[in-house]
Amino acid sequence: MTSSNKSQRVTISDVAKHAGVSIATVSRVLNQTGPVSPDTVATVQAVVDQLGYQPNRAARVLATQKTHVIGVLVDEITGDYSLPLIRGIELETRRAGYEFMMSSTRRRLVGTHYLVNETNTDGVIVFANSVPEHELERLAKLNFPVVLLACTSPPHLSIPYVTVENESGAFEMASYLIETRHYRKFAFLRGPDEHEDTLWRERGYREALARHGLNYDDQVVGEGGFNEEIAYETVTQWIRRGLSMEVIVAFDDDSAIGAMAALRDTNIQVPEAIAIVGFDDVRLSRYLTPPLTTVRIPIEQAAQLAVNKLIQLIETDESQESILLPTELIIRRSCGCC
Amino acid sequence: MTSSNKSQRVTISDVAKHAGVSIATVSRVLNQTGPVSPDTVATVQAVVDQLGYQPNRAARVLATQKTHVIGVLVDEITGDYSLPLIRGIELETRRAGYEFMMSSTRRRLVGTHYLVNETNTDGVIVFANSVPEHELERLAKLNFPVVLLACTSPPHLSIPYVTVENESGAFEMASYLIETRHYRKFAFLRGPDEHEDTLWRERGYREALARHGLNYDDQVVGEGGFNEEIAYETVTQWIRRGLSMEVIVAFDDDSAIGAMAALRDTNIQVPEAIAIVGFDDVRLSRYLTPPLTTVRIPIEQAAQLAVNKLIQLIETDESQESILLPTELIIRRSCGCC
DNA sequence: CTGAAAGCGCTTACAG
DNA sequence: CTGAAAGCGCTTACAG
C-alpha cells in the first residue's frame, strides 16, 4: 500500500499542470461551460482519463451552492411499503443525476438536528408524519425545497405533496363489501392517529357506511396500529370477548395479516366465518392463504413523482399542483368472493 | 416568502459578528476543540441557538477532508432481502453519527462514474457482485476504505468482508433432507453464477450429497435466477417434460416461491407430492402455504457489522478479520416435516 | 484564551 | 479562447 490515505488524490491543479493549462480551463472542459478550443479539450480530456481524475464533491458543492443530493426523511425503515418507496426514490434520483440520503427520524438522538437537512441537501422528501410541524415550518421559513409524500400539507404552509386517494379507496372497498358481498357487521382495525392515512381511510369508510344506512360508530372498532402484533392482540381480544362480525376491515395490510393469524390461531375460518380485507397491497398479500383482498396504492410511483416534483422545485423554484394518485380495489379470496 | 433561495443562510461569520468574536473562536466552541473561556462559550452558544445556525457541510468537508458519509453500492434495490439490509445500514450509520448514500449499479448510465464513490464518501460498502473487480482494484490502489457485504474478497486484494456461512447452511439443509426426510431425488434451482452465494451453496449441497453416496450432477439442476419468474418457468418446464423429483431445493426463497406457484398451477401438492425448501428466510416465507422450510441468514446483522467494520477502517485505518456469520436451519411444513 | 491568515478544491465573473 | 484571482464557508496551525 502507498503511504497515507488521501493525500495523493489527484486534484484539478494536477490536471492543469499536466495539461499545461490553467485550472479555469480544466473546469471549463469538465463542465462544458464557456468556450474552449477543440485542441485544448482533447489534451485536457486525455489527462483527465490518464490520471483518473474525479472532481472533489465538497469543493464543487461549496463553489456552486448545489449539493445535487436530496434528503429522504422517514419515520422508520420497516414495513413492506418501505421497499417500493426506496426503489422509486433511488430510480428517479439516479435518472436525474442526483443522489439521495435517507434518515429515519424515529429513534434519532434527542437534542441533535436531523442528520439530513438543509446543510447537506438541496431539498428533502418528508414521508408521512415523520417530521413534526415546527420543523416543516422552519424549513418553509428558509424557503427550503420540501415535498411531502403520503400526506397533505399543513394548511398554512402549503407545501407541495404527493399522496394517494385514501378516502375514495376506502369508500370503494366498503361499498363493494356492502353492495356485492352484503356484509352488515364490520370490525375495523384503525391505524395510528398521527398517521394521516388513518383519518382519510376512516372518513371513506364512514361515508360509505352512512350511504347504506349503517353507522361506523355502531361497528366494532379497535387498534390495528399499522402493525401485525398489535392487530393480532386486538383481534384475539375481540374473539375472547365474543364479539361478532362478518368482516374485519384493516386499515393496512400488516394489520390484516395480524388479524388473519389471530383467526387462524383461534380456529376461525377465513373467509367462511369471518372475512378480512386490508389496504396497501404489499407483496405478501397475494401469497397469503387465503389471498388478501385489499386496496392497492402506487407507492413506488408516488415516490418517483415526489422526487420529480422536488427536483423541479429545486431547479426552477416553482412547483405545480400537488398530486393525488388513484388507488385500485384488488379482489381476492379473503373477502369471501370466490 | 422571502426573496431568493439560500442567499440568506446564516454562516459562521454571522455568528462571529453577533457574538463579537472571531470565526476561529466560533469554530472552537462548535467543535469543542481548543480552549475557550466559559463566558465566550456561553455567548457563542446563545447566538448559535438564536440564529439557528448550522455549519455548512460542504465547507466542513472541504476543510477536514472527512465527509462522514458512507456509500452503499447494491446491484438493484429489489428482493425482500434489501429491506433488512437497508435497515441495518441505516441503524448503524446513524448510531455512529454518519450518513449513508445508496446507489444501485445495475442500470447505471454507461460511461459515467458511479454516483457514489471516493469523492463524496469516506468509504463504501459493496454488496455481493454489484461492482466489477477492476473498480475494486482501483479503490484498493487509492487505499480507499471498502468493506464487502455478502461476498468474499478477490484473493489478491484482501478486502475485509462480512458474509454468511452459505456452504455449511446448504450442507446442513441437504443433510437434514437426506437423513431425516429420506429424500434421494433432488431438483436444484441455482442462482446466477455471478453471485458468489450460488457457488458456496452449491458446494455445500454437493458435499452433503457426496457424503451420502449421491451425486449432485445426477440430480435435476436448473436456473432459479434468485427470481420468482425464472424459477416458475424452470419448474413448469420440468413438470411438462415429466421429470421426477422428491424435493425442490431452491438456492433462495424467491425462487422457492416461484417453484411453489408453478406446482400449484400444475395441481401438484406441496409437500405431499413434491417438497420444497429455500434459502434466506425472507419475511414472506413463514406466510406461504405451506410455510417454507429454509435457511435463515442474518442479513440485518451482517449489514450492521459491515458498517462498523467500515467506520473502524475509516477512523483507524485498520480492520480486524473478516466475518462469517452463522446461518440457521428453519424447518417448516414445505419440506414435508409435519 | 483569542485572532489573523492560510488552505481545503472547486467555479466564475472579469480582463485580456 | 485563456488565465489570474476572488470567493464559497469552514478548520487549524501559528502568533500573541
Side-chain angles (χ1 to χ4, degrees), chain A residues 53-75:
Chain A
Y53 168 68
Q54 298 195 57
N56 177 303
R57 255 0 192 329
R60 183 173 270 183
V61 168
L62 189 57
T64 60
Q65 303 289 79
K66 288 278 166 210
T67 65
H68 272 248
V69 174
I70 69 171
V72 180
L73 290 164
V74 298
D75 44 357

Side-chain angles (χ1 to χ4, degrees), chain A residues 198-326:
Chain A
T198 298
L199 307 179
W200 293 111
R201 291 174 192 177
E202 180 168 290
R203 197 177 294 196
Y205 285 123
R206 274 183 188 280
E207 172 99 1
L209 263 61
R211 289 262 185 117
H212 294 84
L214 298 170
N215 189 347
Y216 180 88
D217 299 308
D218 296 341
Q219 309 287 339
V220 177
V221 179
E223 288 303 323
F226 283 174
N227 175 300
E228 204 176 318
E229 286 74 27
I230 294 178
Y232 184 95
E233 265 316 302
T234 300
V235 173
T236 305
Q237 290 305 324
W238 285 346
I239 303 303
R240 235 171 246 164
R241 289 193 279 139
L243 297 181
S244 81
M245 58 203 72
E246 296 167 346
V247 56
I248 295 176
V249 175
F251 276 35
D252 84 327
D253 282 0
D254 277 349
S255 40
I257 291 164
M260 210 178 270
L263 295 189
R264 187 190 53 232
D265 290 353
T266 45
N267 290 313
I268 295 174
Q269 291 284 331
V270 178
E272 292 75 9
I274 300 180
I276 295 188
V277 303
F279 212 110
D280 282 355
D281 197 26
V282 299
R283 177 168 186 230
L284 217 163
S285 302
R286 85 198 58 180
Y287 292 102
L288 295 168
T289 305
L292 186 67
T293 291
T294 189
V295 178
R296 178 176 298 163
I297 64 177
I299 182 74
E300 180 167 344
Q301 189 196 352
Q304 292 184 255
L305 288 171
V307 170
N308 284 339
K309 197 174 263 303
L310 180 61
I311 289 177
Q312 183 185 222
L313 200 56
I314 290 167
E315 295 185 345
T316 71
D317 203 23
E318 54 195 45
S319 150
Q320 333 92 311
E321 289 159 26
S322 291
I323 299 175
L324 212 54
L325 290 172

Side-chain angles (χ1 to χ4, degrees), chain A residues 2-28:
Chain A
T2 36
S3 57
S4 98
N5 232 355
K6 38 204 58 177
S7 33
Q8 73 268 28
R9 213 99 97 207
V10 21
T11 72
I12 196 171
S13 312
D14 298 326
V15 176
K17 223 164 289 169
H18 281 248
V21 299
S22 73
I23 62 166
T25 298
V26 175
S27 174
R28 285 194 194 99

Side-chain angles (χ1 to χ4, degrees), chain B residues 83-290:
Chain B
L83 199 59
L85 187 152
I86 295 169
R87 185 167 42 223
I89 286 174
E90 201 273 340
L91 200 69
E92 212 52 31
T93 49
R94 192 148 44 94
R95 186 173 293 163
Y98 276 66
E99 285 133 48
F100 75 98
M101 266 182 178
M102 186 167 44
S103 186
S104 80
T105 57
R106 175 152 322 206
R107 284 164 298 181
R108 89 187 158 101
L109 312 159
V110 187
T112 65
H113 291 278
Y114 292 109
L115 247 32
V116 162
N117 56 42
E118 74 272 19
T119 70
N120 54 3
T121 64
D122 292 341
V124 295
I125 290 176
V126 171
F127 179 76
N129 61 329
S130 58
V131 164
E133 191 162 320
H134 63 79
E135 172 70 1
L136 295 179
E137 257 159 16
R138 192 182 69 81
L139 294 173
K141 224 164 270 163
L142 290 173
N143 199 19
F144 187 70
V146 176
V147 170
L148 304 176
L149 179 55
C151 66
T152 60
S153 171
H156 65 295
L157 295 178
S158 59
I159 303 172
Y161 61 82
V162 179
T163 186
V164 301
E165 292 187 338
N166 283 306
E167 189 175 4
S168 66
F171 183 87
E172 283 173 37
M173 172 66 90
S175 303
Y176 169 79
L177 294 174
I178 297 170
E179 296 168 7
T180 306
R181 303 254 64 81
H182 308 297
Y183 293 128
R184 287 290 175 278
K185 298 177 74 173
F186 289 79
F188 290 97
L189 283 170
R190 299 177 76 255
D193 278 333
E194 316 86 71
H195 219 297
E196 199 184 301
D197 289 344
T198 297
L199 307 180
W200 293 111
R201 292 175 191 176
E202 182 168 290
R203 197 177 296 195
Y205 285 123
R206 273 183 187 281
E207 172 98 3
L209 263 62
R211 289 262 185 117
H212 294 84
L214 298 170
N215 189 346
Y216 180 88
D217 299 309
D218 294 341
Q219 308 287 337
V220 177
V221 179
E223 287 304 322
F226 283 175
N227 175 301
E228 205 176 318
E229 287 73 27
I230 294 179
Y232 184 96
E233 264 317 302
T234 300
V235 173
T236 304
Q237 290 304 325
W238 284 347
I239 304 302
R240 231 171 250 162
R241 289 193 279 138
L243 298 181
S244 81
M245 57 203 73
E246 295 168 344
V247 55
I248 295 177
V249 174
F251 276 34
D252 84 329
D253 282 0
D254 277 348
S255 41
I257 291 165
M260 211 178 267
L263 295 189
R264 188 191 51 231
D265 291 353
T266 45
N267 289 315
I268 295 175
Q269 291 286 330
V270 178
E272 292 76 10
I274 299 181
I276 295 189
V277 304
F279 213 110
D280 281 355
D281 197 26
V282 299
R283 176 168 187 231
L284 218 161
S285 302
R286 84 198 59 178
Y287 292 103
L288 295 169
T289 304

